[in-house]
């Protein structure tokens, strides 16, 4: 017997059966109203509180990540700015050593030039013409009467003598002036040289001033990072995101280069390690080619570390200079040898590919035609085989940027995700809370006939009680 | 630093020697060529198949070509066999030599009086098992009409575990045209024998699609 048949008490009157069961259900639901309300409320509270706690924990975790992220970001920024400032100071040091070390010589040169100019100046000083003592003699002679012929002759003689002497003095004056002009003319190159020397010194000082301005700017940034200012935070975050995408793009290019490199050496590697053996699902020759490329990458990383271009391995950076220089040469030699090996493999690949192609053509009964200038792709492949390992060595630089930037960017993304998750938890918690209230209302709606009857009964009882209360009150008043 | 280098070297050595799997992926093919009178004219098509297969083989693969004649369970019927060297350059040279052998055989082959396909299949299974290849194929280039010489016993079950038998270019005989059921029965009989022996069976008559031959 099915449940439907059991419920259908009056088979010929299904509506009556349904009404009966609804009435019974409403009655029992009414009886269970209070505990049902409590259950719904407690369920919604459990969900709400649980999700609220989860949201809080998630927010705390997000805040922790954000703080840690910020810490890392500031540390990286501080390190980077320190490196820039150190580099600027090294440049200033270089300028001082190169330019200002010769400053004492420059100063002595200038002093010599000034001394010579001073001497020349003294030489060129204008000498006053000798005082003409004969003016007094002329004044005395002027008092003598010139009516006398003999006196007139004497005076005439004196006039001639004076004219002759005046001419001599004038000539002498002109000669001396000419000499002075010549001395002043000789001073012109000295002035020019002195001006040039001063210009050079000025330029050197201007270069230093510019460097000082750059250092000032970086020091300001450094100070802001030290102060953990908002501006520094925004600047570093933006810089990290930019670095992340740029470095990622460059790494993608490098990956393309690595794939080309792999294809250059995979086929000839099968000549060395065998073409039919496998490691797992991969051909041994492919794995060997990949290992070679990875070793080259590793050597590139070590080289860049040893040159102190990157700082991925602090232990290498902390080595003493002698060991570090040795490491530079060792890694460079290994890289060079591997580049040579790759060039040879590229050559072998070209031969093998040509041989296989010729075989396939002969198997297909196609006439084998030798391509013109077929040495060009051979040389091209060899050159690529030689250059690509060195090109891949430089991957260390974008890799370092990517690793550092990825830490910040991924941290920010994770923090944002956690914040989003916390919001979702809170939202669902609140929905559960108000959903509980909605459930209670829905419950009451389902049993509204019982509630309506209950209200009627309560109302009736209240109305019965009110006259009794009024009568009791009247009696009490009369008694008093 | 030294320790790291040693670890990497040991890892590479372990990977290179311990995990290397040189046989499981190798393919081994045994091609049976029917040289009976009714089928002799089809032998040029077999040359195209062999050439195609030679072009697809990789170092480590094996191939043998044998003729089906009056008594095929014999090493003398193997025209050429080779396991390609692990070095591609040597394997290429082996392919050239193999092709030359096949060309000489096709130029000089005559037709046999009887057709012992079962003997050839048994010979093929034996060869394939000896190669130890991971994928084993028996290509039967024949009309599948067995015609045994008197006294030859071939009505025994075949042992073909791990082998894929592929019937190529199964031509219709004149009698098949009269009653096509004979053709279908012949093919079904062979399929049953192969599958009862633990092998798998495929029929490939469209030789324009040679790439389907060695599908796993």
């Amino acid at each position: 017997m099915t449940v439907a048949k059991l419920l259908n008490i009056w088979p010929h009157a299904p509506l009556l059966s349904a009404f009966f069961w609804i009435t019974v259900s409403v009655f029992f639901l009414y009886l269970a109203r209070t505990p049902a309300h409590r259950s719904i409320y407690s369920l919604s509270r459990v969900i709400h509180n649980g999700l609220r706690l989860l949201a809080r924990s998630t927010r705390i975790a997000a805040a922790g990540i954000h703080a840690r992220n910020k810490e890392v970001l500031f540390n990286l920024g501080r390190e980077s700015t320190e490196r820039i400032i150190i580099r600027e100071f090294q440049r200033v040091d270089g300028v001082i050593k190169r330019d200002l070390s010769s400053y004492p010589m420059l100063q002595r040169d200038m002093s010599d030039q000034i001394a010579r100019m001073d001497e020349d100046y003294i030489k060129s000083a204008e000498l006053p013409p000798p005082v003409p003592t004969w003016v007094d003699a002329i004044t005395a002679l002027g008092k003598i009467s010139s009516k006398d012929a003999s006196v007139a002759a004497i005076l005439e003689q004196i006039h001639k003598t004076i004219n002759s002497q005046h001419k001599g003095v004038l000539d002498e004056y002109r000669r001396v002036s000419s000499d002075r002009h010549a001395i002043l003319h000789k001073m012109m190159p000295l002035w020019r040289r002195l001006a040039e020397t001063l210009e050079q010194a000025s330029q050197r000082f201007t270069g230093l001033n510019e460097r000082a301005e750059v250092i000032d700017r970086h020091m300001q940034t450094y100070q802001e990072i030290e102060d953990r200012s908002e501006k520094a935070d925004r600047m570093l975050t933006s810089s990290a995101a930019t670095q992340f995408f740029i470095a990622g793009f460059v790494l993608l290019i490098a990956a393309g280069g690595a794939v080309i490199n792999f294809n250059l050496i995979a086929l000839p590697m099968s000549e060395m390690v065998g073409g039919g053996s496998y490691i797992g699902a991969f051909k041994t020759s492919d794995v060997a080619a990949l290992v070679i490329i990875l070793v080259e990458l590793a050597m590139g990383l070590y080289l860049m570390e040893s040159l102190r271009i990157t700082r991925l391995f602090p232990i290498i950076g902390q080595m003493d200079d002698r060991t570090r220089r040795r490491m530079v040469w060792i890694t460079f030699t290994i890289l060079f040898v591997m580049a040579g090996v790759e060039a040879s493999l590229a050559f072998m690949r070209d031969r093998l590919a040509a041989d296989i192609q010729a075989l396939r053509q002969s198997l297909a009964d196609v006439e084998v035609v030798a391509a013109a200038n077929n040495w060009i792709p051979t040389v091209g492949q060899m050159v690529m085989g030689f250059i690509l390992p060195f090109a891949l060595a430089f991957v260390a630089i974008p890799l370092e940027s990517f690793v550092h930037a990825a830490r910040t960017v991924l941290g920010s993304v994770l923090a944002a995700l956690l914040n989003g998750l916390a919001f979702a938890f809170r939202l669902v918690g609140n929905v559960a809370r108000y959903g509980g209230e909605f459930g209670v209302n829905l419950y009451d709606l389902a049993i509204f006939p019982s509630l309506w009857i209950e209200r009627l009964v309560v109302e009736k009882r209240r109305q019965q009680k009110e006259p009794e209360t009024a009568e009791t009150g009247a009696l009490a008043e009369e008694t008093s | 630093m030294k320790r790291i280098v040693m670890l990497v070297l040991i890892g590479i050595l372990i990977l290179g020697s311990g995990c290397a799997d040189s046989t499981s992926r190798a393919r081994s093919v045994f091609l049976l060529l029917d040289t009976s009178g009714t089928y002799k004219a089809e032998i040029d098509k077999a040359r195209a198949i062999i050439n195609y297969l030679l072009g697809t083989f990789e170092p480590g693969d094996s191939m043998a070509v044998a003729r089906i004649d009056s008594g095929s369970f014999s090493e003398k019927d193997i025209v050429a066999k080779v396991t390609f060297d692990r070095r591609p350059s040597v394997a290429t040279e082996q392919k050239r030599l193999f092709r030359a052998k096949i060309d000489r055989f096709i130029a000089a082959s005559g037709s046999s009086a009887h057709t012992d396909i079962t003997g050839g299949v048994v010979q093929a299974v034996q060869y394939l098992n000896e190669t130890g290849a991971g994928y084993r194929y028996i290509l039967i280039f024949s009309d599948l009409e067995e015609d045994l010489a008197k006294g030859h016993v071939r009505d025994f079950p075949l042992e073909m575990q791990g082998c894929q038998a592929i019937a190529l270019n199964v031509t219709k005989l004149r009698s098949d045209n009269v009653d096509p059921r004979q053709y279908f029965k012949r093919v079904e009989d062979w399929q049953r024998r192969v599958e009862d022996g633990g092998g798998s069976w495929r029929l490939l008559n469209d030789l324009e699609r040679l790439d389907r031959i060695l599908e796993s």
Side-chain angles (χ1 to χ4, degrees), chain A residues 14 62 71 84-85 93 140 164 188 202 208 230 237 264 266 277 284 295 302 349 359 405 440 457 460:
Chain A
E71 189 70 29
I84 293 169
I85 291 169
D93 184 49
S164 162
M188 286 291 282
S202 168
L208 274 178
E230 278 298 314
T237 309
L264 273 179
S277 63
T284 310
V295 169
Y302 295 146
R349 181 195 176 279
L359 173 74
V440 166
V457 171
K460 200 174 178 183

mmCIF file of all heavy atoms in Angstrom, chain A residues 14 62 71 84-85 93 140 164 188 202 208 230 237 264 266 277 284 295 302 349 359 405 440 457 460:
data_model
loop_
_atom_site.group_PDB
_atom_site.id
_atom_site.type_symbol
_atom_site.label_atom_id
_atom_site.label_comp_id
_atom_site.label_asym_id
_atom_site.label_seq_id
_atom_site.Cartn_x
_atom_site.Cartn_y
_atom_site.Cartn_z
ATOM 1 N N PRO A 14 -11.312 13.190 -2.672
ATOM 2 C CA PRO A 14 -9.896 13.526 -2.413
ATOM 3 C C PRO A 14 -9.714 14.916 -1.796
ATOM 4 O O PRO A 14 -8.828 15.108 -0.977
ATOM 5 C CB PRO A 14 -9.254 13.462 -3.802
ATOM 6 C CG PRO A 14 -10.371 13.513 -4.781
ATOM 7 C CD PRO A 14 -11.593 12.969 -4.114
ATOM 8 N N ALA A 62 43.562 38.077 5.991
ATOM 9 C CA ALA A 62 43.818 39.023 4.886
ATOM 10 C C ALA A 62 44.656 40.195 5.385
ATOM 11 O O ALA A 62 45.590 40.636 4.696
ATOM 12 C CB ALA A 62 42.501 39.516 4.302
ATOM 13 N N GLU A 71 55.211 44.787 4.447
ATOM 14 C CA GLU A 71 56.556 44.686 5.034
ATOM 15 C C GLU A 71 57.567 44.296 3.960
ATOM 16 O O GLU A 71 58.625 44.922 3.813
ATOM 17 C CB GLU A 71 56.513 43.618 6.139
ATOM 18 C CG GLU A 71 57.755 43.523 6.995
ATOM 19 C CD GLU A 71 57.925 44.728 7.898
ATOM 20 O OE1 GLU A 71 56.910 45.354 8.283
ATOM 21 O OE2 GLU A 71 59.073 45.045 8.166
ATOM 22 N N ILE A 84 70.405 51.881 -5.389
ATOM 23 C CA ILE A 84 70.501 53.034 -6.301
ATOM 24 C C ILE A 84 71.372 54.123 -5.681
ATOM 25 O O ILE A 84 72.258 54.694 -6.336
ATOM 26 C CB ILE A 84 69.088 53.586 -6.613
ATOM 27 C CG1 ILE A 84 68.307 52.563 -7.433
ATOM 28 C CG2 ILE A 84 69.173 54.894 -7.379
ATOM 29 C CD1 ILE A 84 66.832 52.874 -7.576
ATOM 30 N N ILE A 85 71.142 54.374 -4.380
ATOM 31 C CA ILE A 85 71.906 55.442 -3.713
ATOM 32 C C ILE A 85 73.389 55.079 -3.657
ATOM 33 O O ILE A 85 74.259 55.914 -3.936
ATOM 34 C CB ILE A 85 71.335 55.710 -2.303
ATOM 35 C CG1 ILE A 85 69.951 56.357 -2.423
ATOM 36 C CG2 ILE A 85 72.253 56.618 -1.501
ATOM 37 C CD1 ILE A 85 69.175 56.429 -1.135
ATOM 38 N N ASP A 93 81.859 59.258 -6.396
ATOM 39 C CA ASP A 93 83.235 58.906 -6.035
ATOM 40 C C ASP A 93 84.097 58.865 -7.296
ATOM 41 O O ASP A 93 85.219 59.387 -7.316
ATOM 42 C CB ASP A 93 83.218 57.543 -5.332
ATOM 43 C CG ASP A 93 84.588 57.157 -4.843
ATOM 44 O OD1 ASP A 93 85.226 58.002 -4.192
ATOM 45 O OD2 ASP A 93 85.024 56.022 -5.121
ATOM 46 N N ALA A 140 110.101 132.610 -17.184
ATOM 47 C CA ALA A 140 111.090 133.650 -16.894
ATOM 48 C C ALA A 140 111.467 134.377 -18.171
ATOM 49 O O ALA A 140 111.581 135.629 -18.199
ATOM 50 C CB ALA A 140 112.325 133.019 -16.261
ATOM 51 N N SER A 164 112.075 120.796 -30.627
ATOM 52 C CA SER A 164 112.840 119.553 -30.854
ATOM 53 C C SER A 164 112.697 118.588 -29.657
ATOM 54 O O SER A 164 112.445 117.392 -29.820
ATOM 55 C CB SER A 164 114.303 119.944 -31.084
ATOM 56 O OG SER A 164 115.111 118.836 -30.901
ATOM 57 N N MET A 188 96.272 88.312 -23.830
ATOM 58 C CA MET A 188 94.965 87.806 -24.299
ATOM 59 C C MET A 188 94.839 86.270 -24.209
ATOM 60 O O MET A 188 93.863 85.756 -23.635
ATOM 61 C CB MET A 188 94.704 88.241 -25.751
ATOM 62 C CG MET A 188 94.349 89.703 -25.896
ATOM 63 S SD MET A 188 92.733 90.062 -25.198
ATOM 64 C CE MET A 188 91.719 89.437 -26.507
ATOM 65 N N SER A 202 84.030 74.707 -13.537
ATOM 66 C CA SER A 202 82.608 74.969 -13.310
ATOM 67 C C SER A 202 81.758 73.784 -13.764
ATOM 68 O O SER A 202 80.831 73.368 -13.070
ATOM 69 C CB SER A 202 82.222 76.235 -14.072
ATOM 70 O OG SER A 202 80.842 76.348 -14.105
ATOM 71 N N LEU A 208 78.646 67.436 -10.541
ATOM 72 C CA LEU A 208 78.507 66.983 -9.150
ATOM 73 C C LEU A 208 77.197 67.482 -8.546
ATOM 74 O O LEU A 208 76.526 66.756 -7.807
ATOM 75 C CB LEU A 208 79.681 67.496 -8.319
ATOM 76 C CG LEU A 208 80.933 66.626 -8.351
ATOM 77 C CD1 LEU A 208 82.027 67.282 -7.534
ATOM 78 C CD2 LEU A 208 80.645 65.235 -7.813
ATOM 79 N N GLU A 230 52.054 56.593 2.842
ATOM 80 C CA GLU A 230 51.075 56.091 1.872
ATOM 81 C C GLU A 230 51.603 56.257 0.448
ATOM 82 O O GLU A 230 51.393 55.402 -0.408
ATOM 83 C CB GLU A 230 49.748 56.847 2.024
ATOM 84 C CG GLU A 230 48.862 56.334 3.135
ATOM 85 C CD GLU A 230 48.428 54.895 2.917
ATOM 86 O OE1 GLU A 230 48.011 54.565 1.796
ATOM 87 O OE2 GLU A 230 48.521 54.100 3.872
ATOM 88 N N THR A 237 53.839 49.655 -4.771
ATOM 89 C CA THR A 237 52.869 48.678 -5.266
ATOM 90 C C THR A 237 52.736 48.790 -6.777
ATOM 91 O O THR A 237 52.755 47.783 -7.498
ATOM 92 C CB THR A 237 51.487 48.898 -4.615
ATOM 93 O OG1 THR A 237 51.665 48.950 -3.209
ATOM 94 C CG2 THR A 237 50.522 47.800 -4.970
ATOM 95 N N LEU A 264 66.409 22.723 -31.350
ATOM 96 C CA LEU A 264 67.700 22.645 -32.044
ATOM 97 C C LEU A 264 68.518 21.435 -31.594
ATOM 98 O O LEU A 264 69.260 20.868 -32.389
ATOM 99 C CB LEU A 264 68.509 23.917 -31.781
ATOM 100 C CG LEU A 264 68.289 25.113 -32.714
ATOM 101 C CD1 LEU A 264 69.149 26.265 -32.267
ATOM 102 C CD2 LEU A 264 68.620 24.750 -34.147
ATOM 103 N N ALA A 266 67.274 18.660 -29.543
ATOM 104 C CA ALA A 266 66.586 17.419 -29.147
ATOM 105 C C ALA A 266 66.910 16.259 -30.098
ATOM 106 O O ALA A 266 67.228 15.156 -29.649
ATOM 107 C CB ALA A 266 65.083 17.653 -29.090
ATOM 108 N N SER A 277 64.756 5.153 -26.287
ATOM 109 C CA SER A 277 64.556 4.943 -24.847
ATOM 110 C C SER A 277 63.727 6.077 -24.266
ATOM 111 O O SER A 277 63.755 7.208 -24.767
ATOM 112 C CB SER A 277 65.902 4.840 -24.138
ATOM 113 O OG SER A 277 66.598 6.036 -24.263
ATOM 114 N N THR A 284 64.153 9.940 -23.751
ATOM 115 C CA THR A 284 65.376 10.268 -23.009
ATOM 116 C C THR A 284 66.118 11.424 -23.685
ATOM 117 O O THR A 284 66.668 12.298 -23.012
ATOM 118 C CB THR A 284 66.293 9.034 -22.936
ATOM 119 O OG1 THR A 284 65.519 7.940 -22.481
ATOM 120 C CG2 THR A 284 67.448 9.243 -22.000
ATOM 121 N N VAL A 295 70.618 23.381 -17.357
ATOM 122 C CA VAL A 295 71.969 23.597 -16.809
ATOM 123 C C VAL A 295 72.521 24.932 -17.312
ATOM 124 O O VAL A 295 73.140 25.693 -16.557
ATOM 125 C CB VAL A 295 72.904 22.417 -17.187
ATOM 126 C CG1 VAL A 295 74.351 22.742 -16.860
ATOM 127 C CG2 VAL A 295 72.485 21.155 -16.451
ATOM 128 N N TYR A 302 74.100 31.668 -12.094
ATOM 129 C CA TYR A 302 75.309 31.772 -11.265
ATOM 130 C C TYR A 302 76.207 32.904 -11.766
ATOM 131 O O TYR A 302 76.812 33.639 -10.976
ATOM 132 C CB TYR A 302 76.094 30.457 -11.270
ATOM 133 C CG TYR A 302 75.374 29.306 -10.627
ATOM 134 C CD1 TYR A 302 75.528 28.010 -11.090
ATOM 135 C CD2 TYR A 302 74.515 29.504 -9.548
ATOM 136 C CE1 TYR A 302 74.845 26.950 -10.509
ATOM 137 C CE2 TYR A 302 73.838 28.455 -8.968
ATOM 138 C CZ TYR A 302 74.009 27.178 -9.455
ATOM 139 O OH TYR A 302 73.332 26.150 -8.884
ATOM 140 N N ARG A 349 72.233 18.346 -36.105
ATOM 141 C CA ARG A 349 70.798 18.287 -36.372
ATOM 142 C C ARG A 349 70.513 18.544 -37.850
ATOM 143 O O ARG A 349 69.705 17.854 -38.470
ATOM 144 C CB ARG A 349 70.083 19.348 -35.527
ATOM 145 C CG ARG A 349 68.602 19.360 -35.720
ATOM 146 C CD ARG A 349 67.966 20.613 -35.169
ATOM 147 N NE ARG A 349 66.547 20.613 -35.468
ATOM 148 C CZ ARG A 349 66.038 20.977 -36.619
ATOM 149 N NH1 ARG A 349 66.807 21.403 -37.601
ATOM 150 N NH2 ARG A 349 64.733 20.932 -36.823
ATOM 151 N N LEU A 359 66.089 10.316 -47.192
ATOM 152 C CA LEU A 359 65.575 8.940 -47.130
ATOM 153 C C LEU A 359 64.072 8.918 -47.432
ATOM 154 O O LEU A 359 63.596 8.093 -48.223
ATOM 155 C CB LEU A 359 65.844 8.346 -45.749
ATOM 156 C CG LEU A 359 65.200 6.982 -45.522
ATOM 157 C CD1 LEU A 359 65.949 5.895 -46.295
ATOM 158 C CD2 LEU A 359 65.129 6.629 -44.054
ATOM 159 N N ALA A 405 58.601 40.709 -7.631
ATOM 160 C CA ALA A 405 57.314 41.366 -7.893
ATOM 161 C C ALA A 405 56.164 40.385 -7.669
ATOM 162 O O ALA A 405 55.101 40.779 -7.171
ATOM 163 C CB ALA A 405 57.286 41.905 -9.315
ATOM 164 N N VAL A 440 10.430 31.818 10.290
ATOM 165 C CA VAL A 440 9.455 31.884 11.388
ATOM 166 C C VAL A 440 8.139 32.487 10.894
ATOM 167 O O VAL A 440 7.045 31.968 11.154
ATOM 168 C CB VAL A 440 10.046 32.709 12.550
ATOM 169 C CG1 VAL A 440 8.965 33.099 13.542
ATOM 170 C CG2 VAL A 440 11.130 31.899 13.245
ATOM 171 N N VAL A 457 -10.015 33.385 20.485
ATOM 172 C CA VAL A 457 -10.211 32.828 21.845
ATOM 173 C C VAL A 457 -9.649 33.791 22.882
ATOM 174 O O VAL A 457 -10.294 34.100 23.897
ATOM 175 C CB VAL A 457 -9.556 31.435 21.956
ATOM 176 C CG1 VAL A 457 -9.553 30.946 23.389
ATOM 177 C CG2 VAL A 457 -10.273 30.443 21.062
ATOM 178 N N LYS A 460 -11.819 36.789 23.228
ATOM 179 C CA LYS A 460 -13.065 36.495 23.947
ATOM 180 C C LYS A 460 -12.812 36.430 25.447
ATOM 181 O O LYS A 460 -13.548 36.995 26.250
ATOM 182 C CB LYS A 460 -13.631 35.166 23.448
ATOM 183 C CG LYS A 460 -15.119 35.003 23.752
ATOM 184 C CD LYS A 460 -15.650 33.747 23.095
ATOM 185 C CE LYS A 460 -17.118 33.600 23.456
ATOM 186 N NZ LYS A 460 -17.687 32.377 22.909
#
